[in-house]
Amino acid sequence: MYDIVVIGGGIMGTAIARELGRYDLSVCLLEKEVDIGGGTSRFSSGIVYSGCEFRPKSIKAQLCVSGNRLYESFCQELDVSYEQKGVLLLAYSEQQETKLNDYVRWGMENGVEVEWINGERVRRMEPKLKEIPQKALFAPGAGVVAAYQLPIALGENALANGVDIKRNVEVLDITHEKDFSLVTSEGIVEAQYVINAAGTDAVKISRLAGINGMVEDYRYVQYLLLDRLSDPSKILTILGDTPQEILRLFPTVDGYMMVGLWETLDNRWEKFGTETTQTILNRLTEVSNKMMDHITPDKVLSAFGGGYIAAPNEDFLIRSSLNIPAFIEVAGIDDAGLTAVPTVGKYVVHLLQTAGLEIKQKKYYKSQRQNIKKSFIDINEKMAEGEAVITTAEQLLDMAQGKQEEISEAVDGVTSSTFGGGPSDLWERMQMIKSQPSYGRIICQCEQVTENEVIQAIHRPLGARSVDGIRKRTRAGMGKCQGGFCTSHLIRILARELGLPLSDVIKNEAESVMLISENKQSIIAGEDAEHEKPV
Amino acid sequence: MRNRYDVIIIGGGPAGMAAAIAAHENGAQDIIILERRFELGGILHQCIHSGFGLHRFGEELTGPEYAHRFMEMIKKYHIEAACDTSVLKILPGNRILIISPYSGIKIISGKAVVMATGCRERNRGGLGISGTRPAGIFTAGTAQQFINQYGHLPGKEVVILGSGDIGLIMARRLMLEGALVKGVIEVKSFSSGLKRNVVQCLNDFNIPLLLNHSVIEIHGRKRVTGVTVVRMDDTGNPIADSIYDIPCDTLVLSVGLLPDHKLPLNTGIKIDHHTGGPIVNQWMETSTPGIFACGDGVYVHDLVDDVTAEGEMAGRHAALFAKDPWVFEHSMAAITPGEGVQFCIPQIMSSNSDESFRIFLRLEEKFSSGQLVVNQDGKKIFTFSKGNAFPGEMISIRLPKEKLLPPKDTASLLTISMIERGENK
């Protein structure tokens, strides 16, 4: 019997589990997939909102405004990259201006720094923006975070504080008498309190417990991941014609660029589980090129999308269920959920206390979590694409006219900046490779991930069990070539480290096998198989 | 490993190996090849089909056999090869920052450097194919590596997008391993691969080649379950009622190769946006003196035999530079593609050359009766009849030096165009 079971290992579930780890409680988190953070959390933009976007006094405003303020220190504790960028909400039409006036008012009421700026200041902030609006709303507090890593960091930290984290366990039924009894794919799990943080399955989970009344308001987001580019530097936001439609063009914390479109998707959602649609991909390509000339279709690295459920009034739906107070629903989590990560746990603890839970702080609580250490990291290096790529005959002729250039950068010896971020001392890096030579073998060329980091990703607690699991923990395969070079290495290393045949290695979910079988085996089936098998 | 070399070669594939051998034969003493894989030979090791070396050796070899000949030469000449070693950066003064499990992080410097960094495959990203992102989508080279080096089949029922050479060769390879290739889909009205590969890899195995078709959507949550294809009209627009699904468990992408320009770009070496690789002169020297480039890192070649020849050119001049460095005040000409031409190599003609100019170019489209026209600063100086020609096969022309207008103080602009002769009348 657990005190508390958290259903769902996404950003919300892991954030709540991590907070519960502070107290003398027995807590279990159940995740139905192979890895945590594999559901709706995959479609998080990585944006940490400023807080002016949310209606004052709503749960969303309360959690996000306080969450934003805590974000930097929160990410430091968890060793996850975060960077404050600021958001620019562009006002091209009167309609947009009216809506943004709401944001100014809300921002002031929420205590968020926000101001109207004129076109000239917009131009100075974003010199490459083609169509400069009359004015724009600027909120400096918004930031970007490595959202794909956050559930893993939170899960690892929760585990370190005694929370049981069970992957590959699906909840099939829930009964409640005095306590809860959960029928799962791995047997019965009993608990006094249940937290439903099941993302898109939240409605289903509540129904299993006999709780109805969750609103089903389906939304959808689609993104293009773009190459490393230096502009824009802010999170550019354009409000659409309907309140649900928003377009954002923004840098990621890893130096890449993303463009995304959020919209309502009515009942089409069932069909479009995680799909992207041709119309939207084309629109995103066109719109981003219309905003900035250098964002051309050849800069697109990848496209992805997914559905989520929003709650009424654009608020989160986080509450103690009316008929069963010990059943807490955490639903209606849209993209702003990420901003609420530092505070949602505290709020849920408060709800649990109201429902009768008694809590006591643990004597030894580990708030720090360390990420996998890299031997070499060069992500800060900006490709000088603008200056180095010759596009016209005139430029080529100019180049031929002049004396050929020598590399101008002046470097006296090797300094730590030669190596980018990471351990500052060359000697330290050398020692790392000396004691563990696999630190000297680069597996992912784009993101400069070494074999040692991949091995660590598999063997650390709550380790990776899939190709995508390694990607999220190390960034291998998340760069420019999108796994073209490293995927085969990752499959080979996963099979070797886990003692699996190559054909059992999966991409993300169960049964998503990368390779079908050994050569000349898959087609030979049934009776003929025996004598056709190679001897 | 020493700290100083005459010539440092980055990449131990066919271009790098040829460059090393040529550098040695032209007098360079201390040469090192830096290779990120566990052995020299590059991509050749997974190309177990034959067809390599017809021009070079006058016989048909497999990829590993072709590589082996050069590996033997390197052994014979005692050229140092550091495998399992990656180059992180090229620092000013031709100093190379490397990392390996054995020597850790180290800087070595060379009097000359040859970049033979090869190419990478285009992936799904730029294609804008919508749908899901399940397991079972591979680039052709990755699929080839799985079958030929890992001994594992990536799928049972396969659709191949793109009729480039690797796609064609993989169609045959998958059939031989017992998979069913349901079709090779090509957006253009012709295959971009070599003719012999269309015959030997598709026709001989009854694999349909769907020209003017494209994949627009991928289906399946865990593993690919099918793709949606569409037929295009003459102008390249999809025909609405021609959309249909092909059930399959694997989609192989053979949609082109791109020079891997990360290293030259980060070094500040000028990149040609037509080729995607560094701008080079007739000796394969880049915009940075003493740094040469060759092979698929410069532009994607059709035949490994051509890569070898280009590697030798780069290696020879790297050896000469190491012995006696030069710097040009200005070059003689810039060469740029005109109408009907995708790109030209070299892009720069440096001065002090007595050789006649050899220019390689790739066409933009098919020509039934084409004529190449060379303009110098807007004036036609040379024409060249070229009957049947198409983008799948590179064209090489020799431009006699006497045809050029007399040299002047500044560089000339040579523009090379291809026109249908019918239009010229």
Side-chain angles (χ1 to χ4, degrees):
Chain A
M1 165 82 74
Y2 288 101
D3 293 324
I4 302 162
V5 165
V6 180
I7 303 172
I11 290 173
M12 286 292 115
T14 52
I16 294 163
R18 191 232 183 191
E19 182 65 22
L20 292 171
R22 290 180 192 272
Y23 305 100
D24 264 327
L25 297 166
S26 62
V27 182
C28 175
L29 183 146
L30 304 177
E31 167 54 52
K32 78 174 158 81
E33 295 298 345
V34 175
D35 203 356
I36 52 176
T40 325
S41 308
R42 270 197 287 178
F43 318 122
S44 171
S45 63
I47 296 172
V48 176
Y49 292 95
S50 71
C52 72
E53 302 88 342
F54 313 125
R55 198 177 291 277
K57 298 198 179 64
S58 62
I59 299 175
K60 194 189 269 183
Q62 289 172 39
L63 296 184
C64 290
V65 170
S66 50
N68 178 297
R69 285 188 194 128
L70 291 171
Y71 233 94
E72 191 158 5
S73 57
F74 185 78
C75 285
Q76 266 166 16
E77 274 188 355
L78 293 167
D79 203 2
V80 170
S81 335
Y82 166 78
E83 204 177 318
Q84 190 176 327
K85 295 274 183 192
V87 64
L88 263 182
L89 298 125
L90 309 172
Y92 289 109
S93 69
E94 257 175 56
Q95 200 190 352
Q96 286 166 341
E97 200 178 320
T98 316
K99 180 71 199 160
L100 292 177
N101 273 323
D102 281 348
Y103 283 13
V104 177
R105 223 178 42 246
W106 294 354
M108 275 157 62
E109 231 175 291
N110 290 337
V112 173
E113 194 185 335
V114 56
E115 60 171 327
W116 278 115
I117 60 170
N118 61 22
E120 187 43 44
R121 269 190 73 190
V122 174
R123 193 192 303 279
R124 256 181 284 144
M125 278 185 188
E126 294 295 352
K128 289 203 177 152
L129 186 65
K130 268 153 75 179
E131 198 186 335
I132 303 285
Q134 284 288 314
K135 53 198 231 171
L137 205 58
F138 177 56
V144 287
V145 64
Y148 52 88
Q149 240 190 36
L150 210 46
I152 291 159
L154 289 161
E156 286 179 4
N157 190 238
L159 190 72
N161 285 302
V163 174
D164 260 356
I165 296 191
K166 296 185 175 177
R167 295 180 286 183
N168 288 312
V169 179
E170 186 174 0
V171 175
L172 304 169
D173 199 8
I174 302 173
T175 53
H176 177 251
E177 284 169 23
K178 190 171 163 288
D179 300 309
F180 291 95
S181 178
L182 281 67
V183 182
T184 76
S185 53
E186 301 290 316
I188 306 282
V189 177
E190 292 176 315
Q192 288 184 300
Y193 295 85
V194 168
I195 293 159
N196 172 9
T200 45
D201 281 338
V203 179
K204 200 173 92 191
I205 294 290
S206 283
R207 277 196 193 130
L208 290 179
I211 297 159
N212 295 312
M214 270 232 222
V215 191
E216 302 182 26
D217 180 3
Y218 296 123
R219 300 287 172 77
Y220 211 85
V221 57
Q222 298 189 39
Y223 302 100
L224 296 178
L225 175 69
L226 307 164
D227 207 347
R228 284 180 197 278
L229 300 166
S230 48
D231 293 87
S233 62
K234 305 271 181 288
I235 301 160
L236 299 184
T237 305
I238 301 176
L239 303 178
D241 298 335
T242 65
Q244 286 79 26
E245 194 185 293
I246 300 179
L247 184 115
R248 294 189 177 93
L249 173 64
F250 56 98
T252 73
V253 77
D254 304 296
Y256 290 81
M257 206 56 71
M258 277 211 326
V259 54
L261 182 77
W262 285 256
E263 53 172 350
T264 318
L265 217 77
D266 308 326
N267 47 11
R268 279 190 298 157
W269 184 72
E270 278 301 318
K271 183 180 176 282
F272 297 112
T274 57
E275 299 190 9
T276 48
T277 58
Q278 199 77 54
T279 340
I280 303 293
L281 296 191
N282 292 344
R283 188 170 148 197
L284 287 173
T285 317
E286 278 165 30
V287 169
S288 32
N289 182 248
K290 237 168 116 181
M291 288 172 77
M292 292 195 177
D293 269 333
H294 67 288
I295 307 181
T296 44
D298 60 309
K299 300 288 189 301
V300 177
L301 301 182
S302 174
F304 59 106
Y308 57 93
I309 307 175
N313 307 323
E314 304 296 312
D315 200 358
F316 296 149
L317 196 140
I318 306 179
R319 65 181 180 193
S320 214
S321 147
L322 283 176
N323 29 358
I324 317 174
F327 188 91
I328 312 279
E329 291 174 308
V330 181
I333 307 297
D334 57 9
D335 203 50
L338 189 66
T339 313
V341 161
T343 45
V344 68
K346 291 186 179 65
Y347 186 69
V348 168
V349 168
H350 160 74
L351 292 177
L352 286 165
Q353 281 178 297
T354 314
L357 178 76
E358 285 176 23
I359 54 166
K360 204 178 89 200
Q361 290 263 2
K362 255 188 203 136
K363 251 191 188 150
Y364 304 103
Y365 170 70
K366 302 180 203 103
S367 64
Q368 301 279 333
R369 171 260 180 190
Q370 277 204 330
N371 200 1
I372 298 169
K373 204 169 179 183
K374 289 177 83 88
S375 63
F376 183 89
I377 180 168
D378 197 21
I379 59 165
N380 297 323
E381 181 153 18
K382 243 183 233 155
M383 291 195 185
E385 191 144 0
E387 303 98 67
V389 178
I390 304 282
T391 54
T392 65
E394 288 72 36
Q395 284 174 315
L396 185 68
L397 192 58
D398 281 349
M399 183 189 146
Q401 306 280 21
K403 193 174 156 179
Q404 300 199 33
E405 297 167 38
E406 291 203 46
I407 305 176
S408 57
E409 186 192 357
V411 175
D412 302 314
V414 182
T415 63
S416 108
S417 70
T418 317
F419 297 92
S424 55
D425 194 270
L426 177 61
W427 187 83
E428 190 188 341
R429 293 168 206 261
M430 299 287 268
Q431 289 309 306
M432 281 165 78
I433 300 172
K434 210 169 178 185
S435 61
Q436 283 167 311
S438 56
Y439 257 131
R441 183 174 295 128
I442 292 187
I443 294 296
C444 165
Q445 302 281 337
C446 302
E447 294 290 308
Q448 291 176 335
V449 179
T450 65
E451 185 173 14
N452 191 280
E453 292 147 53
V454 176
I455 294 171
Q456 282 188 58
I458 297 167
H459 291 304
R460 60 167 34 203
L462 213 62
R465 293 291 176 270
S466 63
V467 173
D468 283 1
I470 295 179
R471 288 169 66 122
K472 285 190 279 189
R473 285 166 177 80
T474 63
R475 286 199 56 76
M478 286 177 88
K480 180 155 181 153
C481 84
Q482 289 286 300
F485 179 78
C486 68
T487 302
S488 57
H489 286 298
L490 299 185
I491 293 176
R492 182 175 54 80
I493 297 168
L494 264 170
R496 184 187 73 202
E497 298 295 319
L498 297 175
L500 295 173
L502 286 170
S503 50
D504 280 1
V505 173
I506 53 170
K507 180 172 190 284
N508 40 39
E509 296 177 19
E511 293 159 32
S512 62
V513 287
M514 296 293 290
L515 302 170
I516 300 277
S517 67
E518 287 184 29
N519 282 355
K520 279 279 189 197
Q521 283 199 349
S522 58
I523 302 300
I524 308 165
E527 290 162 24
D528 298 337
E530 284 310 305
H531 63 266
E532 281 194 38
K533 249 182 202 160
V535 199
Chain B
M1 194 180 291
R2 303 156 176 271
N3 292 323
R4 289 172 192 283
Y5 289 89
D6 289 337
V7 179
I8 297 174
I9 288 153
I10 304 172
M17 292 196 295
I21 292 164
H24 175 88
E25 288 172 347
N26 284 278
Q29 295 291 317
D30 300 317
I31 303 167
I32 186 170
I33 306 175
L34 306 170
E35 167 57 43
R36 67 186 179 192
R37 293 177 183 239
F38 297 111
E39 59 177 342
L40 295 179
I43 206 75
L44 285 169
H45 289 297
Q46 69 182 58
C47 302
I48 62 171
H49 52 281
S50 62
F52 298 93
L54 277 168
H55 297 249
R56 178 81 192 174
F57 298 112
E59 52 183 314
E60 207 170 338
L61 305 172
T62 64
E65 283 171 336
Y66 189 91
H68 194 71
R69 298 216 170 172
F70 293 88
M71 288 158 81
E72 286 297 304
M73 297 276 276
I74 283 163
K75 220 185 280 172
K76 196 178 108 194
Y77 289 154
H78 299 291
I79 295 171
E80 189 178 350
C83 292
D84 206 356
T85 301
S86 292
V87 170
L88 294 169
K89 210 169 182 178
I90 301 178
L91 303 168
N94 294 350
R95 292 180 305 151
I96 317 286
L97 181 62
I98 60 169
I99 184 169
S100 89
Y102 317 106
S103 47
I105 298 171
K106 196 171 159 55
I107 288 179
I108 56 175
S109 67
K111 290 177 185 160
V113 175
V114 179
M115 289 194 296
T117 49
C119 59
R120 61 182 185 85
E121 295 182 277
R122 260 181 83 191
N123 55 33
R124 183 183 171 183
L127 301 175
I129 305 174
S130 59
T132 52
R133 297 198 304 159
I137 305 167
F138 301 97
T139 56
T142 307
Q144 187 180 49
Q145 189 184 11
F146 285 135
I147 297 187
N148 293 347
Q149 292 189 295
Y150 286 31
H152 275 70
L153 207 52
K156 280 193 273 191
E157 298 194 343
V158 184
V159 168
I160 298 176
L161 175 60
S163 63
D165 288 316
I166 317 175
L168 300 175
I169 285 158
M170 279 315 292
R172 174 175 65 184
R173 188 73 190 101
L174 282 156
M175 289 293 267
L176 289 173
E177 281 305 336
L180 176 66
V181 178
K182 293 193 151 180
V184 173
I185 294 169
E186 172 57 56
V187 71
K188 297 202 190 101
S189 58
F190 54 91
S191 160
S192 49
L194 299 173
K195 278 169 213 147
R196 68 173 195 221
N197 283 333
V198 176
V199 175
Q200 291 170 7
C201 301
L202 299 191
N203 301 358
D204 290 359
F205 290 83
N206 293 323
I207 300 170
L209 174 61
L210 302 171
L211 297 172
N212 296 312
H213 276 67
S214 187
V215 171
I216 52 169
E217 200 172 335
I218 296 169
H219 308 284
R221 188 180 162 89
K222 293 165 189 266
R223 178 85 198 185
V224 174
T225 56
V227 293
T228 302
V229 299
V230 67
R231 197 154 53 83
M232 321 286 235
D233 63 20
D234 296 339
T235 55
N237 289 315
I239 302 170
D241 58 0
S242 71
I243 293 173
Y244 61 102
D245 287 352
I246 305 179
C248 60
D249 61 20
T250 304
L251 175 66
V252 169
L253 301 174
S254 172
V255 288
L257 300 166
L258 305 166
D260 194 344
H261 66 203
K262 187 183 175 196
L263 197 59
L265 196 59
N266 274 344
T267 308
I269 287 171
K270 300 283 188 217
I271 303 289
D272 180 3
H273 105 116
H274 297 105
T275 57
I279 288 170
V280 290
N281 70 8
Q282 70 269 41
W283 307 315
M284 307 310 292
E285 189 180 15
T286 67
S287 61
T288 301
I291 299 187
F292 297 78
C294 57
D296 284 352
V298 176
Y299 72 96
V300 177
H301 297 62
D302 303 328
L303 299 172
V304 72
D305 309 66
D306 298 338
V307 168
T308 299
E310 197 179 279
E312 287 168 344
M313 171 79 86
R316 181 164 71 244
H317 288 92
L320 296 176
F321 189 94
K323 211 184 293 170
D324 187 12
W326 58 74
V327 174
F328 298 113
E329 282 303 318
H330 71 82
S331 294
M332 210 171 125
I335 303 166
T336 177
E339 198 188 331
V341 177
Q342 265 186 53
F343 63 78
C344 315
I345 291 285
Q347 296 92 338
I348 297 281
M349 283 295 174
S350 295
S351 43
N352 321 4
S353 176
D354 298 325
E355 307 150 43
S356 62
F357 296 148
R358 191 156 181 217
I359 300 168
F360 295 89
L361 50 101
R362 196 181 287 289
L363 299 177
E364 245 164 8
E365 50 196 305
K366 235 161 104 172
F367 288 87
S368 52
S369 167
Q371 188 175 39
L372 271 173
V373 179
V374 181
N375 280 305
Q376 184 174 8
D377 296 325
K379 201 173 161 217
K380 192 191 282 185
I381 56 162
F382 193 60
T383 58
F384 190 78
S385 281
K386 193 82 202 164
N388 218 345
F390 78 118
E393 284 169 17
M394 291 284 292
I395 293 176
S396 108
I397 56 168
R398 220 171 253 287
L399 191 58
K401 218 182 163 192
E402 62 274 12
K403 292 276 181 190
L404 292 171
L405 299 176
K408 44 177 193 165
D409 289 344
T410 54
S412 300
L413 183 65
L414 295 183
T415 310
I416 303 180
S417 318
M418 179 84 166
I419 48 171
E420 273 297 355
R421 236 173 323 175
E423 294 171 14
N424 207 20
K425 279 174 190 166

